[in-house]
Amino acid sequence: MKYSPGAERCPLPYSPFKSCTVPRPIGWLSSRSVAGVENIAPYSQWQNLTFDPPMVMFAANRYPDGRRKDTVLNAEETGWFVWNMATFALREAVNISAMALPPEESEFDRINVTRIYSDNGAVPMVKESPCKFECRYLSTHTMRGASNHGTVDVVFAQVETIHIDDQVIRPDGRLDITAIEPIARLGYFDYTVIRETFEMRVPGSDADAQAGLEGRGGK
């Protein structure tokens, strides 16, 4: 099977596009509006960009009526948002926070998590999340789609403060990912959870690459 998505109707009952680009890390992003309304929502188009300095991005498709997502507006207007790592233990809260609520309502009021606040921008964070990034807004790049819902706002930010729960740090100084059990988005309504990892080192890789700093010859 093959088809051209820009010119042909998908021959399958469900689009395979998102089910091929998997697994996708979840950007469980908290923010605060200029009016003080606290927001949290998961985004499956989230990724790190570089490490020196650490930068990240997330992409938010617009609503069918053309409105932009609250997280995008809050980041632009206040200059800050926080990434909270989504874990298996927090999966129900992550799912509930995906509800489309009016801008004056807070998803935090519907999920059973503990709110703490960032050092920068007084943004609410999920205490139970083992890893959190305080992100300073840099810019937004809008890519127009064939529809309002297909139009996407790509937000770029720099990570200014990193919070790691000491309990998930192994004696060798690395994160215990299998203990954390991060979840990731697949296609359809499917997710996955990391419970197994394996290591492969690039032949001839230098000490920086082995430590996870793939700036020199990283793939």
Side-chain angles (χ1 to χ4, degrees):
M1 183 203 80
K2 68 177 180 179
Y3 73 104
S4 300
E8 301 175 81
R9 186 179 183 87
C10 177
L12 298 175
Y14 301 96
S15 171
F17 173 68
K18 289 185 178 180
S19 295
C20 292
T21 44
V22 294
R24 301 191 304 278
I26 296 172
W28 199 22
L29 307 180
S30 52
S31 60
R32 180 180 55 84
S33 73
V34 291
V37 179
E38 298 176 342
N39 178 278
I40 185 166
Y43 292 86
S44 60
Q45 280 93 333
W46 154 269
Q47 193 54 267
N48 66 310
L49 295 173
T50 185
F51 58 88
D52 186 22
M55 295 184 185
V56 295
M57 59 75 64
F58 74 93
N61 285 88
R62 296 192 177 184
Y63 288 109
D65 62 5
R67 288 179 298 124
R68 299 199 296 162
K69 296 293 176 64
D70 292 339
T71 308
V72 176
L73 296 173
N74 293 347
E76 291 178 347
E77 293 172 0
T78 69
W80 294 95
F81 64 90
V82 170
W83 169 75
N84 306 269
M85 181 179 279
T87 67
F88 187 73
L90 292 165
R91 64 193 183 282
E92 294 299 334
V94 173
N95 191 45
I96 293 170
S97 70
M99 297 173 62
L101 298 180
E104 65 274 10
E105 293 188 32
S106 173
E107 294 84 0
F108 273 103
D109 295 335
R110 301 192 179 213
I111 59 178
N112 185 26
V113 299
T114 306
R115 270 178 269 196
I116 55 176
Y117 289 85
S118 64
D119 297 338
N120 304 286
V123 177
M125 307 190 298
V126 177
K127 181 180 180 180
E128 293 82 0
S129 178
C131 307
K132 295 174 276 287
F133 295 168
E134 296 188 32
C135 304
R136 177 172 57 84
Y137 170 80
L138 295 176
S139 64
T140 303
H141 179 75
T142 299
M143 302 176 68
R144 299 290 173 183
S147 63
N148 286 334
H149 194 49
T151 295
V152 65
D153 295 303
V154 185
V155 175
F156 301 92
Q158 182 168 316
V159 178
E160 298 292 350
T161 305
I162 295 175
H163 302 254
I164 305 292
D165 188 334
D166 291 340
Q167 295 184 3
V168 302
I169 301 175
R170 301 188 331 190
D172 65 2
R174 295 192 289 177
L175 296 188
D176 192 341
I177 294 299
T178 56
I180 293 172
E181 294 188 320
I183 58 174
R185 188 70 191 269
L186 302 175
Y188 321 120
F189 295 107
D190 298 332
Y191 293 79
T192 189
V193 58
I194 298 174
R195 295 196 175 106
E196 180 181 348
T197 66
F198 62 94
E199 183 179 86
M200 292 195 300
R201 299 197 178 193
V202 177
S205 61
D206 59 24
D208 284 347
Q210 291 179 5
L213 303 176
E214 296 101 341
R216 303 181 196 174
K219 294 182 179 180

